[in-house]
Amino acid sequence: MIPTWQLRAAFARRLSDMYGTEVPAYTTLLEVAGEVNDDVLKRGGDAERLGSIERVTAERHGAIRVGTPAELRAAAQIFAALGMHAVGFYDLRDAASSAVPVVSTAFRPIEAEELDRNPFRVFTSMLTPADRRFFDASLQKRLEAFLARRTLFPPELLGLAVRAEAEAGLSEADAERFLTLAVAAFELSPEPVDRAWYAELERVSAIAADIGGVSSTHINHLTPRVLDIDELYRRMEDRGITMIDRIQGPPRWSGPDVLLRQTSFRALAEPRRFREPDGNVTTGSLRVRFGEVEARGIALTLSGRALYDELVGEPAEVWQARFPRTERQLAVGDQAFFMYEPVLDGPGESLRPADGLAGLLDSGLLTATPIVYEDFLPRSAAGIFQSNLNDAGTRDTTRAGTHYDAHWLSEAIGRPVHDSFDLYAVQQNRSLERARLALGIPKETP
């Protein structure tokens, strides 16, 4: 049997190889990310504090877009076969000034050991045709009819995915077939695009056209992880690759890296075949896919995230003044998540502090290792999408939006949608409990 995590790792590798063939600039991005990571490691310091270089090098997240709850449910089944669960609900419709009519979740491993084996994630967005801010009743009806006629994932692939989930893996032959079908499902289709239909949707949103204007789905971008995203941005520009205008997320500053910083190169014109209104097939191009890169930091608690949300968009000088400037401050202030380990050869029983976490850390009885943020930021995701659009599209701000939330998402895919804060809190609390037991500290100690 090929176990689940090996299926996930193999799928991530094959998807990366396929995307590099289709989008050569992505291969350049991988090369530059590798060079930057090597140079950061040579400088020494705590380069691997937020993950070993082996994990950072292997790490990817992908992004796909689907059109209906049924398509989203099928995607969830494929990712379940790879040990990936829905985590978080992201509403991008109000997170950007451009028309981004999608709601999203991320499929990823949720256990620490599975993340360490391979942390592959897929940010998955679903179109919202019922939202009257973007689609009138006529367009909604025609769009939903178009989406209902297509099949994104062949029945054989879904059948293998069901078996892989139930049996926690597949035989070697079935694994090969599953991986071949799964990668093919996310390749760019050679089928001609109906130019008039695509153009009609594109007037609403280029994202709507990319989802509902074609007969298939595809990888929209793949994202490696880098240890110095500012240096990568500079080197990509030096190679003549046009990057978007800024790095999304927290600013570069002298304090701890937190949450997620992202940037990308601009979507490139790719040749596509079009079916014209007269039935002829012509050749043209579309700007849809791009190459994204990310730098990950420490996961923040609810209070830490609230402070981040206050400061988002502010310059580094404001962060220097208002955001905790050390990991210790983040830990003691309960503003970030950490894994805690006891130091059993530290001070003796008589020196054990009575003033909680701060005392345990200061006395050397406890060490704190940051928990890496494994998820996404709605504003940053929408900003990446928006920065790769040719125009803003249209949105009727006088109309009310259709309601979606995590409960709706869970019902749609028939699976739980995990709250990322809960996942981090469980991981941290387990480590604290183990540390207390090892040190013989009463549970009531703060």
Side-chain angles (χ1 to χ4, degrees), residues 49-187:
R49 183 155 178 77
L50 292 168
S52 69
I53 190 58
E54 290 79 17
R55 173 178 163 166
V56 170
T57 300
E59 194 158 338
R60 298 284 186 276
H61 94 244
I64 65 166
R65 298 164 177 171
V66 298
T68 68
E71 291 177 352
L72 184 62
R73 191 183 190 108
Q77 179 61 73
I78 293 168
F79 296 133
L82 303 171
M84 299 160 66
H85 308 262
V87 180
F89 172 80
Y90 305 91
D91 194 336
L92 304 193
R93 295 174 296 168
D94 295 314
S97 57
S98 297
V100 183
V102 299
V103 294
S104 311
T105 189
F107 292 96
R108 68 168 178 86
I110 58 175
E111 297 292 341
E113 56 270 25
E114 288 299 314
L115 286 162
D116 286 340
R117 283 171 165 170
N118 185 279
F120 186 56
R121 317 166 185 83
V122 178
F123 191 81
T124 304
S125 300
M126 189 200 76
L127 195 60
T128 56
D131 194 322
R132 285 290 176 268
R133 293 174 297 175
F134 307 101
F135 307 96
D136 63 28
S138 172
L139 184 53
Q140 176 193 356
K141 183 178 180 179
R142 288 181 290 128
L143 177 54
E144 289 178 341
F146 178 89
L147 294 170
R149 290 194 297 269
R150 72 183 187 182
T151 300
L152 297 186
F153 309 111
E156 184 184 1
L157 171 60
L158 295 175
L160 286 169
V162 170
R163 194 191 323 159
E165 181 185 14
E167 299 177 6
L170 289 169
S171 68
E172 189 171 340
D174 285 340
E176 180 61 33
R177 182 62 177 160
F178 170 81
L179 291 168
T180 298
L181 291 170
V183 172
F186 298 108
E187 292 177 347

Side-chain angles (χ1 to χ4, degrees), residues 247-260:
I247 296 170
Q248 302 282 337
R252 186 183 186 98
W253 73 309
S254 62
D257 294 325
V258 298
L259 295 177
L260 178 67

Side-chain angles (χ1 to χ4, degrees), residues 321-442:
R322 295 194 53 198
F323 204 83
R325 299 181 65 177
T326 66
E327 289 184 8
R328 182 193 178 282
Q329 289 174 325
L330 285 170
V332 172
D334 191 29
Q335 291 177 295
F337 292 105
F338 293 85
M339 289 289 289
Y340 294 100
E341 294 288 339
V343 180
L344 299 179
D345 57 352
E349 179 78 28
S350 62
L351 296 179
R352 286 191 178 152
D355 54 348
L357 183 60
L360 289 168
L361 291 170
D362 293 343
S363 69
L365 284 166
L366 206 61
T367 62
T369 302
I371 294 177
V372 176
Y373 186 63
E374 306 286 354
D375 298 289
F376 299 91
L377 302 172
R379 180 168 170 172
S380 293
I384 293 282
F385 281 15
Q386 175 178 289
S387 63
N388 277 288
L389 301 179
N390 291 327
D391 58 58
T394 58
R395 176 189 355 218
D396 184 352
T397 57
T398 66
R399 304 296 294 268
T402 307
H403 178 72
Y404 297 91
D405 58 18
H407 176 73
W408 176 91
L409 177 62
S410 179
E411 292 288 315
I413 65 174
R415 300 170 183 274
V417 177
H418 299 270
D419 182 277
S420 61
F421 291 102
D422 290 345
L423 294 175
Y424 299 127
V426 166
Q427 190 177 355
Q428 175 176 274
N429 292 341
R430 284 175 179 168
S431 72
L432 270 174
E433 181 60 23
R434 287 194 298 266
R436 285 192 178 107
L437 287 172
L439 293 169
I441 297 173

Side-chain angles (χ1 to χ4, degrees), residues 251 306-315 318-320 322-324:
L307 179 56
Y308 166 80
D309 288 340
E310 282 184 41
L311 301 183
V312 66
E314 296 288 350
V318 176
W319 278 63
Q320 295 287 141
R322 295 194 53 198
F323 204 83

Side-chain angles (χ1 to χ4, degrees), residues 214-228:
V214 295
S215 60
S216 62
T217 189
H218 54 256
I219 281 289
N220 179 258
H221 61 263
L222 268 178
T223 303
R225 183 175 164 191
V226 71
L227 297 175
D228 187 339

